[in-house]
């Protein structure tokens, strides 16, 4: 078995006097689709920001194999990130969004960059949309375009923040399919934060379940197994869409 | 006790009627029977009735008997529950009784059967605390700007080492936006400033037969002070606000974070071209502003003082030398730099959605205007002391 791609060691997260997570440790293997799960406010997005280097952790360490701790110093990035609403640059076309990193960090000629942009957009089902402004795209298309942008430099690892939230069931299913295709086809490691149970059961291979009350990882493993066997109430309620007050 | 002995009924055919009947069951203990249909449409009347039904002085205990309630909606239940909580807060032992069916379910839903969660009291800051807090906020703004300038200097070093990361392609469009697009308003405003200055000074100088010195006064004031300052104020309100709002919106929509995850520094990619555009555009605009200000004075001289164009221009050239124009241009470069840095620093520091964008944009413009006046004063005093 190869060494893990991402290693998180005794990570603590929070801001001010608020502590969201303490001494969390886990690993993400190469090529897997890994999810960070938990109820709202448990620190999933904060963890994602620490994993991507956008915010430094309070304590502990995140290490990406081959590159060390994720930092966002100026330089060619070793991973891609898709933000919840896409965060496409509104002053550029979709094609320019995807081309930006290629123009900055490669010495490819313009024609080659255009070809790669076309290929990336075709990969995410947006062929022919390169000339459009982000505002002309639907929510699902924006997320696809953001995935294409995150994949521009062919990273081995991609982080996705709530990829299928706010999408209709068909678009969400198609996006799940795309993520699985990218993972299987390109050997991409995918780390995602999500609430969407259908997506979790459809594509996620392993997950960690964060808990706000104990500020810790409450459970970890295959989400389908956790759904069927985990006796912890918080995990049971999350995976079975129930609440402490509701009838089983 | 008079209020407590009154029955309250709202006989309205259009609105559902209700009826509150208070009675003293034993000394100090009261029961209020609630009857009829409680509707939020009659919420005001219900609220007033609930306030009035409480005996004065407050009783030891008060029970709302809801067994006579035929129908109740959420809004009305909220008012009932709030009345109970308010009474409990004043030490009255208050409870509901007799609720069944929908009324009982709504009562439970609105927390009528539990004690309210303690409200977090937020004390208003005192005068001194307020002054201290505002002072710290101002100091924080200064720290933000100084930190930003430091990072910008580092980014500039990065741009020199890796010119490809500077987004030079954006400079030309930004120059058009900040320079060419601002030209009409700069030309108009500086012409009017020159015109008004000429007009006001002519009234005074005419009394001493010194009409011709209008050219000196307008020329020196415009080129040394008002040309660069008015142009900078216009650019601050126009381009500075636009930059702050633009970068602020990018911050709150995670576009800045997205840029960082692509390995591209926001300072090099976004701030550098904007600041450079302002540093180049402002002196150019100032030159046009100077010319139009002088033209405004010329119009007054010719139309109002019957001076010839040649005489006015000759006097202007006699009064001005290249240094007068040049010192205005030096100011304009520094004005452009400060407007760009302040606007971009505020934009990148934006948090908190649309409201945050508005707040930072306002701060950017106000801070820029203050900085412009301060810088102008510093330059004027320095030049004067240096004998320039």
């Amino acid at each position: 078995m190869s060494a893990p791609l991402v290693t998180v060691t005794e990570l603590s997260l929070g801001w001010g006097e608020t502590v969201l997570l303490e001494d969390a440790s886990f690993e993400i293997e190469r090529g897997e689709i890994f999810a960070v799960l938990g109820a709202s406010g448990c620190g999933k997005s904060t963890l994602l920001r620490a994993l991507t280097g956008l915010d430094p952790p309070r304590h502990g360490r995140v290490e990406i194999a081959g590159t060390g701790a994720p930092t966002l110093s100026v330089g060619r990035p070793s991973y891609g990130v898709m933000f919840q609403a896409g965060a496409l640059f509104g002053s550029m076309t979709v094609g320019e969004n995807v081309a930006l990193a290629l123009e900055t960090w490669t010495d490819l000629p313009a024609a080659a960059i255009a070809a790669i942009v076309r290929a990336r957009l075709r990969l995410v089902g947006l062929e022919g949309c390169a000339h459009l402004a982000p505002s002309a795209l639907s929510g699902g298309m924006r997320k696809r375009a953001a995935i294409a942008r995150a994949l521009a430099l062919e990273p081995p690892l991609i982080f996705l923040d709530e990829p299928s939230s706010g999408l209709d069931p068909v678009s969400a299913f198609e996006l799940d399919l795309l993520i699985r295709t990218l993972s299987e086809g390109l050997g991409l490691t995918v780390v995602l934060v999500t609430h969407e149970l259908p997506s979790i059961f459809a594509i996620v291979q392993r997950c960690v379940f964060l808990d706000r009350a104990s500020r810790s990882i409450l459970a970890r493993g295959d989400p389908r197994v956790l759904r069927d066997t985990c006796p912890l109430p918080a995990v049971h309620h999350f995976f079975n869409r129930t609440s402490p007050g509701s009838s089983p | 006790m008079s209020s407590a002995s009154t029955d309250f009924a709202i006989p309205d055919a259009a609105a559902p009627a209700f009826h509150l009947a208070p009675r003293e069951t034993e000394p100090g203990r009261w029961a209020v029977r609630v009857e009829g249909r409680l509707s939020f449409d009659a919420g005001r009347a219900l609220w007033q009735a609930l306030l009035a039904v409480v005996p004065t002085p407050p009783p030891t205990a008060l029970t709302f008997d809801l067994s006579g309630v035929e129908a109740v909606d959420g809004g009305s239940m909220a008012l009932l529950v709030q009345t109970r909580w308010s009474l409990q807060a004043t030490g009255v032992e208050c409870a509901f009784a007799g609720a069944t069916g929908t009324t009982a379910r709504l009562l439970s839903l609105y927390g009528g059967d539990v004690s309210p969660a303690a409200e977090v009291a937020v004390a208003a800051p005192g005068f001194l605390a307020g002054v201290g807090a505002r002072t710290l906020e101002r100091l924080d703004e200064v720290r933000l700007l100084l930190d930003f300038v430091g990072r910008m200097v580092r980014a500039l070093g990065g741009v020199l080492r890796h010119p490809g990361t500077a987004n030079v392609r954006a400079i030309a469009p930004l120059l058009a936006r900040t320079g060419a697009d601002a030209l009409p308003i700069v030309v108009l405003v500086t012409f009017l400033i020159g015109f008004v200055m000429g007009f006001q000074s002519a009234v005074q100088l005419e009394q001493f037969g010194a009409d011709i010195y209008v050219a000196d006064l307008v020329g020196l004031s415009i080129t040394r002070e008002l040309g660069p300052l008015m142009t900078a104020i216009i650019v601050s309100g126009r381009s500075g606000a636009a930059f702050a709002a633009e970068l602020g919106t990018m911050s709150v929509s995670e576009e800045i974070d997205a840029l960082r995850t692509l390995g591209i520094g926001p300072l090099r990619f976004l701030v550098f071209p904007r600041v450079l555009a302002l540093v180049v555009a402002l002196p150019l605009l100032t030159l046009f502003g100077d010319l139009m200000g002088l033209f405004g004075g010329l119009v007054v001289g010719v139309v109002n003082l019957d001076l010839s164009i040649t005489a006015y221009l000759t006097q202007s050239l006699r009064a001005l030398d290249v240094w007068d124009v040049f010192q205005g241009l030096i100011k304009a470069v520094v004005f452009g730099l400060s407007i760009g840095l302040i606007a971009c620093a505020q934009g990148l520091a934006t948090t908190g959605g649309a409201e945050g964008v508005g707040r930072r944009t306002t701060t950017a413009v106000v801070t820029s205007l203050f900085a412009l006046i301060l810088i102008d004063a510093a330059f004027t005093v320095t030049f004067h002391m240096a004998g320039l």
Side-chain angles (χ1 to χ4, degrees):
Chain A
M1 193 173 177
S2 61
L5 183 59
V6 181
T7 307
V8 176
T9 313
E10 296 176 350
L11 197 72
S12 293
L13 301 172
W15 60 87
E17 294 185 0
T18 307
V19 180
L20 291 171
L21 192 62
E22 281 182 310
D23 295 332
S25 299
F26 60 91
E27 291 172 344
I28 300 169
E29 304 296 339
R30 288 169 199 274
E32 74 174 335
I33 301 178
F34 185 93
V36 178
L37 309 178
S40 296
C42 70
K44 299 186 298 294
S45 293
T46 310
L47 174 58
L48 191 72
R49 289 182 71 83
L51 292 176
T52 54
L54 280 166
D55 289 331
R58 286 184 155 207
H59 305 290
R61 186 167 167 76
V62 177
E63 187 145 341
I64 297 175
T67 57
T71 56
L72 293 176
S73 55
V74 176
R76 182 173 175 149
S78 55
Y79 48 84
V81 182
M82 188 216 83
F83 291 85
Q84 194 171 349
L88 297 174
F89 307 124
S91 58
M92 302 178 187
T93 64
V94 171
E96 287 168 346
N97 265 276
V98 180
L100 180 62
L102 293 164
E103 289 167 349
T104 308
W105 299 120
T106 70
D107 54 1
L108 292 169
I113 288 176
I116 291 174
V117 168
R118 223 172 14 250
R120 295 280 185 246
L121 289 176
R122 192 184 312 126
L123 195 65
V124 298
L126 289 179
E127 194 172 14
C129 295
H131 66 289
L132 295 176
S135 57
L137 303 182
S138 69
M141 290 165 86
R142 268 181 226 171
K143 293 192 181 207
R144 286 168 174 271
I147 290 177
R149 184 177 67 182
L151 290 174
L153 290 170
E154 198 85 41
L157 170 66
I158 184 170
F159 295 94
L160 309 176
D161 189 3
E162 305 268 8
S164 48
S165 72
L167 300 184
D168 66 82
V170 175
S171 301
F173 172 76
E174 287 173 348
L175 198 61
D176 289 344
L177 209 59
L178 171 67
I179 293 167
R180 194 158 61 191
T181 305
L182 292 174
S183 176
E184 290 171 357
L186 303 176
L188 195 66
T189 304
V190 181
V191 180
L192 55 95
V193 163
T194 185
H195 273 126
E196 306 293 321
L197 287 175
S199 295
I200 293 167
F201 297 134
I203 61 172
V204 174
Q205 292 158 336
R206 231 159 43 86
C207 68
V208 285
F209 187 93
L210 308 188
D211 179 48
R212 176 78 194 256
S214 62
R215 302 166 179 170
S216 64
I217 294 175
L218 207 55
R220 62 185 81 206
D222 184 327
R224 288 157 289 268
V225 176
L226 290 177
R227 173 193 59 191
D228 298 336
T229 62
C230 184
L232 296 168
V235 180
H236 176 84
H237 290 313
F238 180 91
F239 283 120
N240 292 282
R241 221 162 174 258
T242 56
S243 78
S246 66
S247 309
Chain B
M1 290 281 171
S2 61
S3 64
S5 61
T6 310
D7 285 2
F8 296 90
I10 307 297
D12 185 344
F18 64 85
H19 181 81
L20 305 186
R23 69 188 168 85
E24 194 168 19
T25 53
E26 51 188 272
R29 303 186 77 83
W30 285 72
V32 177
R33 182 173 165 77
V34 185
E35 295 173 339
R37 306 172 71 81
L38 306 182
S39 163
F40 192 54
D41 291 341
R44 182 183 170 81
L46 176 62
W47 184 244
Q48 286 170 342
L50 286 168
L51 292 176
V53 83
V54 178
T56 310
T60 314
L62 190 148
T63 303
F64 286 103
D65 176 6
L66 303 180
S67 60
V69 173
E70 294 166 29
V72 61
D73 58 17
S76 304
M77 184 56 78
L79 297 178
L80 279 170
V81 170
Q82 183 56 52
T83 305
R84 176 185 171 233
W85 287 349
S86 301
L87 287 170
Q88 282 181 324
T90 60
V92 178
E93 190 186 308
C94 188
F96 291 109
T100 55
T102 307
T103 307
R105 278 199 296 278
L106 266 180
L107 188 65
S108 173
L109 186 66
Y110 277 77
D113 48 358
V114 295
S115 294
E119 297 262 340
V120 178
V122 181
F127 174 73
L128 281 179
V131 171
R134 296 302 293 269
T135 307
L136 287 176
E137 276 176 25
R138 296 285 87 79
L139 288 175
D140 217 37
E141 292 298 326
V142 174
R143 188 198 54 76
L144 172 80
L145 190 61
L146 290 177
D147 175 62
F148 186 77
V149 170
R151 288 192 292 131
M152 196 60 205
V153 171
R154 275 183 56 194
L156 196 62
V159 167
L160 294 175
R161 284 195 305 277
H162 306 286
T165 59
N167 194 16
V168 284
R169 277 182 309 181
I171 294 172
L174 283 165
L175 261 174
R177 266 175 59 194
T178 56
D181 293 354
L183 193 58
I185 184 71
V186 167
V187 160
L188 180 65
V189 169
T190 47
F191 170 78
L192 290 172
I193 292 287
F195 183 86
V196 169
M197 274 200 65
F199 202 82
Q200 292 287 3
S201 55
V203 173
Q204 303 301 320
L205 294 173
E206 219 176 2
Q207 296 175 31
F208 305 101
D211 309 15
I212 192 65
Y213 291 109
V214 168
D216 297 51
L217 203 148
V218 172
L220 287 169
S221 305
I222 289 288
T223 53
R224 286 186 175 199
E225 297 289 342
L226 291 175
L229 191 60
M230 291 309 299
T231 306
I233 287 172
I234 293 166
V235 169
S236 167
R238 205 179 160 279
S239 303
F243 288 171
E246 206 170 74
L247 298 190
T249 306
M250 288 183 78
S251 290
V252 297
S253 60
E254 296 185 310
E255 288 180 43
I256 301 291
D257 285 342
L259 205 57
R260 292 169 67 203
T261 62
L262 294 176
I264 298 169
L267 295 186
R268 299 185 197 187
F269 195 78
L270 297 171
V271 178
F272 173 75
R274 280 167 174 74
V275 173
L276 187 65
L278 284 181
V279 166
V280 174
L282 211 58
L284 295 175
L285 286 171
T286 299
L287 270 179
F288 281 101
D290 287 351
L291 285 172
M292 290 311 293
L294 295 176
F295 182 60
L298 174 72
V299 169
V300 174
V302 171
V303 174
N304 206 38
L305 302 174
D306 292 330
L307 298 171
S308 70
I309 294 176
T310 312
Y312 189 95
L313 290 179
T314 307
Q315 184 63 26
S316 293
L317 289 173
R318 195 176 294 152
L320 295 173
D321 63 31
V322 176
W323 171 245
D324 293 317
V325 178
F326 194 62
Q327 69 172 270
L329 297 183
I330 293 173
K331 284 182 183 178
V333 169
V334 180
F335 288 163
L337 188 67
S338 64
I339 294 169
L341 289 175
I342 290 168
C344 293
Q346 292 295 335
L348 289 180
T350 303
T351 53
E355 192 251 344
V357 174
R359 202 172 52 240
R360 285 290 176 184
T361 305
T362 306
T363 309
V365 174
V366 172
T367 311
S368 291
L369 292 179
F370 177 68
L372 291 178
I373 304 293
L374 205 66
I375 292 167
D376 187 56
F379 265 118
T380 302
V381 171
T382 307
F383 287 148
H384 179 74
M385 288 173 71
L388 297 170

